[in-house]
Amino acid sequence: MTELDVETLRRCRRGNPAALGMLYDCYRRPVYYLARRMVGEMEAEDVCQETFIAVFRSVAKFEGKSKLSTWVLAIATRVCLMHLRKRRRLNTAAEPTDAAEAEPMTLLSPSHELLNKEFLKRLADAMDRLPENQRMVVSLRSFEEMSYEEIARAMNCRLEQVRATLFRARCRLLKFLEGH
Amino acid sequence: MSTPASQHYAPLEWSAYLDGELPAARRNAMREHLRECPSCAAILRSFEAVQRGAEQLAQEPAPTQPQLRTRLIAVSAAIIARSRSRQRWLLWLGLIVSVVIITGLTAALWHGMTQPRATTAAVAASKVRVTLDRVLITRYFVEPPSLEYDVTIHNGDARPLEIIRVIVSDPLGEKERPVASALRVEPGQTLQRVFSRPVGENAQLRPGRYRILLETSDGRLVDEKVVP
């Protein structure tokens, strides 16, 4: 993921529309992807907008302690979680839980290991069937720069939880892919 | 030293290995182990396929919404501009308030430091003075003896002089004496008064410094006498 340069960031803080546009273009794709994975296509655009409104409003407070991309994705994570909470309040249907069940380890047969369109489609379907927190961790981890620590900070949880959740998510994805 | 092929690493560790989230020593040992353990290698390969697939999915382009983008940026830029202008205004306000407070404090401090001298000087300059003519102990038949201060107050100023407090001090100590509610010396008037304080039956006039201080509406008037 590309990062904005210091000068553009400075202009963003001063509300320069061109710089804000660059920030938006730079991070729209990952934010949209995360939103679509987490809340689905219908609400993804809303999450995207809410995220950027929050980002633009607080960009002046960004202290540079983390990468800008991590900071933006942390805001997007919070907006996604807020949407999911709202949806849970409206919808009583139970979300698949992330119980610490011992997933039997499933391995991909060599034929699956090609990253072809079919595989990606099935992986996307499998990801949609994951519990929220597993989906969130896998989605955030898809952005190569997000370390466990950064994911933990974005999701407001412990680093060990990220490690375990990501592992469980991968096991479950493998199970879905093999069982397809 | 690598782990024997029969002792596998836990799949959880391979997941963390893939993400580069293990200490270097552990990572190196696991890399060695991979060479001789096909089952651990298969686990890692499966995790890798899932991870690469997820990364590839994340590369999908997002649908573009040019109108939304333009509106979002325009509104946000306006909000930021308004917020910055408010911040700047508050900063200026804070600066002005600080300057006023500091100036006020400095002036008050300066005034406090200089006031006694200034008012005494003002009183002196306006020809208002108090003279302690004498001090003596007077014994009466009925009342207990008292230490008396015979004082002359002269107001050579054009304004009337209000006396607010009278404080007498002598080798026995300092004492505030009550003053009649309207002790007032008119312009050009010279007033003679006696201020007294009760003393013991056998009290004698002791040698030392006897002082009278009048606090007036314009400042302080002081005079003193030394009894040898």
Side-chain angles (χ1 to χ4, degrees):
Chain A
M1 217 181 306
T2 48
E3 293 286 329
L4 279 194
D5 61 281
V6 179
E7 177 54 27
T8 310
L9 189 59
R10 200 175 59 80
R11 287 192 295 138
C12 282
R13 288 185 178 127
R14 292 161 63 182
N16 179 290
L20 292 176
M22 283 168 80
L23 192 151
Y24 179 87
D25 294 339
C26 201
Y27 301 113
R28 175 169 159 82
R29 189 182 48 77
V31 169
Y32 183 84
Y33 172 77
L34 183 71
R36 205 185 60 181
R37 280 275 153 264
M38 293 312 298
V39 299
E41 198 121 25
M42 296 282 281
E43 285 183 51
E45 196 55 60
D46 290 346
V47 167
C48 226
Q49 277 191 56
E50 280 177 42
T51 301
F52 280 104
I53 287 171
V55 165
F56 291 157
R57 279 190 179 180
S58 49
V59 71
K61 293 176 201 155
F62 173 66
E63 293 170 340
K65 284 180 185 166
S66 64
K67 282 179 289 206
L68 185 62
S69 55
T70 308
W71 181 73
V72 172
L73 284 170
I75 292 176
T77 304
R78 280 196 288 276
V79 176
C80 284
L81 292 174
M82 219 161 61
H83 268 250
L84 290 169
R85 269 200 295 274
K86 215 184 293 174
R87 188 189 290 173
R88 266 200 300 274
R89 275 203 299 272
L90 297 173
N91 187 4
T92 48
E95 167 75 11
T97 57
D98 180 33
E101 79 275 42
E103 295 273 0
M105 189 70 206
T106 312
L107 299 180
L108 287 183
S109 59
S111 62
H112 280 116
E113 295 180 28
L114 295 168
L115 295 176
N116 55 28
K117 274 189 182 172
E118 179 60 23
F119 175 82
L120 292 178
K121 189 180 175 307
R122 278 168 39 205
L123 180 63
D125 290 345
M127 278 175 75
D128 290 343
R129 291 163 68 190
L130 288 177
E132 279 165 11
N133 60 342
Q134 292 186 8
R135 216 174 333 144
M136 180 70 86
V137 172
V138 171
S139 304
L140 287 173
R141 184 61 209 162
S142 314
F143 309 113
E144 56 203 49
E145 287 100 351
M146 291 285 273
S147 66
Y148 284 5
E149 200 186 328
E150 286 165 340
I151 295 173
R153 215 175 303 142
M155 291 182 67
N156 196 21
C157 65
R158 286 181 296 113
L159 194 140
E160 278 311 310
Q161 254 172 299
V162 173
R163 186 196 303 270
T165 307
L166 190 55
F167 167 68
R168 279 202 293 275
R170 282 171 174 163
C171 289
R172 199 172 271 204
L173 286 174
L174 287 170
K175 200 168 141 192
F176 289 149
L177 287 167
E178 271 302 299
H180 204 83
Chain B
M1 197 176 69
S2 69
T3 308
S6 56
Q7 294 174 13
H8 301 295
Y9 286 96
L12 175 68
E13 286 203 271
W14 287 117
S15 176
Y17 174 90
L18 175 67
D19 297 323
E21 296 277 351
L22 287 174
R26 186 71 170 169
R27 202 174 149 71
N28 291 339
M30 287 173 79
R31 193 186 299 126
E32 286 295 313
H33 176 78
L34 273 181
R35 289 184 191 165
E36 52 204 31
C37 183
S39 55
C40 281
I43 293 173
L44 181 63
R45 243 193 341 269
S46 292
F47 284 154
E48 256 171 353
V50 168
Q51 179 58 29
R52 272 196 232 136
E55 282 171 14
Q56 202 142 324
L57 286 176
Q59 295 302 315
E60 285 173 3
T64 51
Q65 299 272 12
Q67 280 182 335
L68 267 181
R69 177 189 183 277
T70 310
R71 210 172 57 220
L72 184 69
I73 289 167
V75 169
S76 299
I79 289 171
I80 295 173
R82 212 169 39 233
S83 148
R84 277 175 63 83
S85 128
R86 197 167 44 229
Q87 276 171 5
R88 220 173 296 139
W89 189 83
L90 284 173
L91 190 75
W92 275 109
L93 185 69
L95 201 69
I96 290 166
V97 168
S98 308
V99 168
V100 168
I101 289 172
I102 291 169
T103 311
L105 283 174
T106 312
L109 195 66
W110 178 253
H111 185 67
M113 281 166 68
T114 55
Q115 192 200 16
R117 265 179 278 166
T119 50
T120 307
V123 168
S126 62
K127 296 176 186 171
V128 176
R129 62 178 183 271
V130 61
T131 313
L132 179 56
D133 299 321
R134 60 177 183 159
V135 283
L136 69 160
I137 289 179
T138 311
R139 296 174 198 282
Y140 299 93
F141 291 107
V142 184
E143 292 173 0
S146 63
L147 174 61
E148 293 182 348
Y149 291 71
D150 286 0
V151 173
T152 306
I153 306 164
H154 173 71
N155 181 9
D157 202 359
R159 291 177 302 159
L161 181 73
E162 294 278 353
I163 294 167
I164 304 158
R165 279 172 87 200
V166 177
I167 297 168
V168 292
S169 60
D170 53 58
L172 298 170
E174 191 172 282
K175 194 85 176 170
E176 180 173 345
R177 301 311 305 150
V179 183
S181 58
L183 184 49
R184 184 182 163 104
V185 188
E186 297 300 330
Q189 191 185 6
T190 302
L191 195 69
Q192 286 194 319
R193 292 297 292 252
V194 175
F195 297 104
S196 62
R197 61 176 289 189
V199 287
E201 238 3 281
N202 303 316
Q204 297 293 323
L205 198 62
R206 292 187 190 178
R209 194 180 296 268
Y210 290 76
R211 187 165 175 261
I212 184 149
L213 185 148
L214 305 185
E215 247 182 48
T216 73
S217 47
D218 282 345
R220 290 171 170 184
L221 297 170
V222 181
D223 195 24
E224 61 182 31
K225 250 191 172 32
V226 177
V227 173

